[in-house]
Amino acid sequence: MKKKNCRRTDEERTTHDRATRLRKMTDAQLCDFIDSTYGRGMEEGAKLAEKQRAGTPGEEGARRFLAYLESRTGSGNRIGKGTVIYIARELENAIAAGIFREEPA
């Protein structure tokens, strides 16, 4: 049984109106809508990927993060000195393995 319009919330009404507009579109309009939405998503994804690539912290960033974790031990975050030591050892192993070296893609 469908819900009466007077019992819908504002969010439900806007969602229903949007769905109705989509159902009333022609095939060409639907294709244009999907293509433009997909294109916008690809552009935003490319920009986000570029930002993430540029913001790679590297070895120094990892060391700063470890210092931050060490300063936060005992603050109720369930990260103790032992955990920080384990992570520091793994960081040293990663450095030795060369994962922080810049390699061309």
Side-chain angles (χ1 to χ4, degrees):
M1 184 179 224
K2 71 178 188 173
K3 200 175 203 181
K4 292 189 181 218
N5 194 32
C6 63
R7 295 200 177 109
R8 286 189 182 141
T9 64
D10 288 336
E11 185 179 336
E12 289 174 331
R13 266 190 219 108
T14 55
T15 302
H16 176 73
D17 291 342
R18 187 172 173 217
T20 302
R21 275 183 280 152
L22 285 172
R23 280 194 301 268
K24 289 182 178 182
M25 285 184 178
T26 64
D27 290 346
Q29 288 173 325
L30 278 172
C31 288
D32 290 341
F33 175 74
I34 290 172
D35 290 343
S36 67
T37 303
Y38 177 78
R40 251 191 335 243
M42 290 298 287
E43 288 172 9
E44 290 174 8
K47 289 177 187 174
L48 183 62
E50 189 61 37
K51 281 182 184 177
Q52 287 177 345
R53 246 184 259 118
T56 304
E59 184 180 335
E60 183 57 35
R63 290 190 189 280
R64 280 186 294 179
F65 179 67
L66 275 175
Y68 169 77
L69 281 181
E70 195 166 356
S71 71
R72 301 259 308 143
T73 56
S75 65
N77 61 2
R78 298 182 60 164
I79 296 175
K81 192 121 178 110
T83 305
V84 174
I85 291 170
Y86 291 143
I87 293 173
R89 283 183 195 154
E90 288 302 317
L91 174 63
E92 294 304 321
N93 292 339
I95 292 169
I99 68 164
F100 290 106
R101 286 189 213 122
E102 291 292 323
E103 296 179 9

